[in-house]
Amino acid sequence: MADAGVLRAAAASAAAGCVVAGAVAVTVAVAAGPGPGLTGYVSEAGVTDSGYAGAYRIGVFALAAALLLLAAALPPALRAAAGLLVAGAAGTALSGAVACSTGCPLPPFEAATVADLVHGGASIAATAAVVFAMLALVRHPAAGRALRRVAGVGAALALPLSGAVGLAMLLVGRGGLVGVLERLLLAVAAGWGLVTAAVLGLAHRRS
């Protein structure tokens, strides 16, 4: 049991590092790349002709690794949340592996390629899986008070943002509103992952 606790603590620490590294790499790619700023999608930093596509993909893969490590750091009783995090990691990795075309067009306002649909679908599924993982932690007594509190705050912020992003994409389409909402949602997810990793690391070290 002690060895398992040490491994989970190490996984939590590695997850925190991956969240920071991934968030920094993606932020640099978005801020320094040739994209349209706040009026475009974050994924536009990863288009093939962007000079920062490599940094973007490295960041996305680091975030996928962070989700896998978070799943490994969770106690065994939290299987549902861990499974959702694994699903989120798979979707995140797929979104990094399949680049969208210029502008990352999505229906109903723009004509999308197969790659655009795969990338967009994987990104949406990954984000949804992370939000559902927060909800799974909130509802499970085995998560402990600290982990449930962090998940509760994360879900309270992520759920309305997710709904707003979805509605804006369907009713308004690509633009400043979707761009800002998407960045806020991703910041909430990254912040939740970092704080959750810290809580898990401290809990495993104490035990």
Side-chain angles (χ1 to χ4, degrees):
M1 294 295 291
D3 289 342
V6 170
L7 290 175
R8 291 193 181 95
S13 297
C18 285
V19 170
V20 172
V24 168
V26 171
T27 300
V28 168
V30 171
L38 292 177
T39 62
Y41 297 116
V42 169
S43 298
E44 292 184 54
V47 299
T48 306
D49 57 354
S50 169
Y52 291 84
Y56 171 82
R57 288 193 179 88
I58 289 172
V60 170
F61 291 142
L63 292 172
L67 293 175
L68 280 178
L69 289 164
L70 274 179
L74 288 175
L78 303 175
R79 289 186 294 273
L84 286 164
L85 289 174
V86 171
T92 302
L94 180 58
S95 74
V98 180
C100 58
S101 59
T102 301
C104 293
L106 288 173
F109 296 102
E110 300 169 297
T113 66
V114 173
D116 293 327
L117 295 175
V118 170
H119 175 89
S123 299
I124 292 169
T127 304
V130 171
V131 175
F132 282 127
M134 296 178 192
L135 294 173
L137 290 173
V138 170
R139 295 174 60 85
H140 205 301
R145 181 180 299 176
L147 207 58
R148 292 176 67 187
R149 185 178 301 158
V150 173
V153 172
L157 294 172
L159 281 173
L161 282 171
S162 299
V165 170
L167 284 174
M169 290 176 68
L170 289 174
L171 301 177
V172 180
R174 180 175 177 271
L177 178 61
V178 174
V180 171
L181 290 173
E182 180 197 30
R183 283 158 176 76
L184 288 174
L185 177 57
L186 294 177
V188 168
W192 170 80
L194 182 59
V195 177
T196 298
V199 170
L200 286 169
L202 289 173
H204 289 314
R205 287 186 181 92
R206 286 171 183 166
S207 62

